[in-house]
Amino acid sequence: MYRNTWMEVNLDAVADNVRKLKEICGKKIIAVLKADAYGCGDSHVARAVLEAGADMLAVSSLDEALMLRNEGYEGELLILGATDPEDVPVMIENSISVPAYCPEWADAVVQKNPAGLKVHMKVDTGMNRIGFKTPEDLQKAFNELKEAGCLIEGIFTHFCCADFDEVFTNMQYDRFADAVELLGHEFKWIHCDNSDATVWFKDPLSNACRIGISIYGINTYTDELRHPISMHTTVTMVKEIMPGEKIGYSSTYTAKKKEIIATLPVGYADGFIRANKGRKVWCDGMECEVVGNVCMDQTMIRLEHAVPLNTPVEIFGPHIHLEDMAADLNTIPYEIICLISGRVTRTYIWHGREEQEENARLLKSTAIEV
Ligand SMILES: *Cc1c(COP(=O)(O)O)cnc(C)c1O
């Protein structure tokens, strides 16, 4: 890493969180590592969650599943999103479990010699994303997939409001329980809880919980989790500006008095979006306002006192909480961390030691041949 803008992921804290959540729910843990583990690096987060006792990993697509297989993961692996029936041979060959989620999918899959394909029946209980909407469709697909030799290992649904709506969540659960009963099958995996539900929702039927954002310490119902992720940069230039001077593209900020301005090597191409203008970052004990428009690669902040070059700046972490940043930006923590781009070096703490991710594109390649 040459450019000093990085995201730190403390894998020891990740592992502690998984252990804690497993203790809280008393069920098997399916660690959801979709979207490169919410931007944190799926192969790294995988090591930590597996060491902490996760029983299965889940991702969003066949591409993401194959990436984990290519990294050497041989354990239980479930795709949560849609798949193309054309790819059935790849799913079987790599022992990847997939959701059956609509009649068209099931009808197409049975045409593809799916014997041995590991399937989880996905039931839509109110979110209206993917999943069987009617008991008839569910039963029919179950029968034909079973007949075609699929291994029907699981059944699941997804709560859409487990962070605030107990009534709706219970209604979704009741529909799910009806679906499980309808099929009368011995499922190895029965799962409905996301991170929030893992903490508060208790039921006698499910035997696994799918945890995503709580791996990173974010949960509406417990504050017993650690906060493993933070994002940092360092000061590249400090200057004094006079009253009336402007800052950045479109000169949107005007100094009211003599002010000290620092420049940071972080911008919207790092996922530090333009909406951060006017928000605060943390530097040398100060909360510093982002002044002027955030540029693609750089950002200016106003300091109360001058600092030396290379002084560290926290974008989110112990002082600027990710959840507060999300609230300021009118979004959710998931979106902020998923948008941190590949240009931002990931550093990891693992078994108490720091490791730095080598950016693959800093390694020599001959992709451009002229
Ligand atoms: C993303 C996702 C999860 C994890 O949700 P969190 O709120 O991050 O715990 C679980 N199940 C499904 C189907 C998902 O898409």
Side-chain angles (χ1 to χ4, degrees):
M1 171 174 80
Y2 301 98
R3 180 170 176 259
N4 279 326
T5 297
W6 71 98
M7 176 178 181
E8 181 184 292
V9 183
N10 183 332
L11 296 173
D12 297 327
V14 162
D16 282 348
N17 286 346
V18 172
R19 281 188 278 264
K20 184 88 216 169
L21 289 159
K22 193 162 181 159
E23 180 190 311
I24 289 174
C25 70
K27 296 182 177 176
K28 286 186 284 193
I29 292 288
I30 301 172
V32 179
L33 304 188
K34 62 195 183 196
D36 198 21
Y38 295 28
C40 296
D42 55 11
S43 56
H44 297 274
V45 175
R47 292 187 274 172
V49 300
L50 291 169
E51 187 183 274
D55 302 277
M56 176 184 261
L57 303 184
V59 292
S60 75
S61 65
L62 182 54
D63 301 69
E64 289 183 354
L66 292 174
M67 289 178 206
L68 282 177
R69 285 285 185 247
N70 288 344
E71 302 269 2
Y73 176 61
E74 294 176 348
E76 297 279 358
L77 182 53
L78 171 69
I79 293 172
L80 298 170
T83 58
D84 187 338
E86 293 295 326
D87 300 325
V88 162
V90 185
M91 301 167 201
I92 295 175
E93 191 185 317
N94 291 279
S95 190
I96 293 165
S97 307
V98 295
Y101 52 89
C102 69
E104 296 88 337
W105 185 90
D107 293 345
V109 162
V110 296
Q111 303 301 317
K112 298 287 166 191
N113 297 321
L117 178 66
K118 297 201 273 183
V119 172
H120 289 225
M121 304 304 296
K122 176 73 191 285
V123 188
D124 180 10
T125 55
M127 175 146 177
N128 279 312
R129 188 166 63 176
I130 59 170
F132 292 98
K133 278 203 64 84
T134 67
E136 297 73 33
D137 285 348
L138 175 68
Q139 180 78 68
K140 179 166 174 288
F142 173 82
N143 291 346
E144 68 185 13
L145 290 166
K146 200 172 160 203
E147 178 73 15
C150 293
L151 309 173
I152 316 247
E153 295 199 328
I155 186 164
F156 71 117
T157 193
H158 193 44
F159 295 145
C160 51
C161 312
D163 52 336
F164 70 95
D165 194 335
E166 199 176 320
V167 174
F168 198 83
T169 304
N170 276 305
M171 183 280 290
Q172 285 195 275
Y173 172 75
D174 290 342
R175 289 182 177 173
F176 180 55
D178 287 348
V180 177
E181 194 187 283
L182 171 76
L183 297 181
H185 179 75
E186 192 74 26
F187 290 105
K188 191 165 145 199
W189 301 88
I190 304 176
H191 43 114
C192 50
D193 298 344
N194 58 7
S195 285
D196 280 337
T198 293
V199 172
W200 72 268
F201 191 79
K202 305 291 171 202
D203 73 276
L205 180 65
S206 67
N207 60 14
C209 296
R210 300 188 305 271
I211 56 166
I213 199 73
S214 285
I215 292 173
Y216 313 103
I218 293 176
N219 192 290
T220 316
Y221 297 95
T222 177
D223 46 21
E224 286 186 81
L225 300 173
R226 296 177 63 186
H227 292 274
I229 51 177
S230 54
M231 185 175 175
H232 309 266
T233 187
T234 57
V235 171
T236 52
M237 180 166 172
V238 180
K239 68 175 79 67
E240 207 174 66
I241 64 170
M242 292 300 152
E245 279 200 79
K246 318 260 186 206
I247 294 174
Y249 285 121
S250 309
S251 300
T252 59
Y253 178 84
T254 308
K256 287 172 210 69
K257 47 189 173 61
K258 236 192 206 180
E259 291 178 354
I260 307 164
I261 302 298
T263 304
L264 311 177
V266 64
Y268 59 79
D270 299 292
F272 189 70
I273 61 173
R274 280 164 48 108
N276 283 294
K277 177 164 73 177
R279 286 193 56 256
K280 303 286 174 58
V281 296
W282 184 267
C283 176
D284 196 32
M286 298 174 271
E287 278 198 339
C288 308
E289 183 181 334
V290 172
V291 288
N293 281 326
V294 171
C295 309
M296 188 182 291
D297 316 301
Q298 305 187 72
T299 291
M300 280 67 84
I301 60 173
R302 189 185 61 236
L303 306 178
E304 298 311 316
H305 59 253
V307 298
L309 299 191
N310 300 320
T311 301
V313 174
E314 174 189 309
I315 292 169
F316 64 81
H319 304 98
I320 308 281
H321 295 157
L322 177 57
E323 282 150 298
D324 295 335
M325 179 173 179
D328 287 350
L329 293 172
N330 196 19
T331 182
I332 51 178
Y334 305 66
E335 192 177 39
I336 293 179
I337 59 180
C338 287
L339 288 183
I340 297 172
S341 72
R343 194 168 78 173
V344 176
T345 300
R346 270 62 171 172
T347 65
Y348 297 93
I349 313 281
W350 184 225
H351 295 160
R353 298 210 357 244
E354 188 171 317
E355 296 175 359
Q356 220 175 75
E357 172 84 305
E358 195 63 61
N359 184 333
R361 297 197 56 198
L362 285 174
L363 304 175
K364 190 166 165 51
S365 126
T366 54
I368 306 169
E369 279 183 22
V370 284

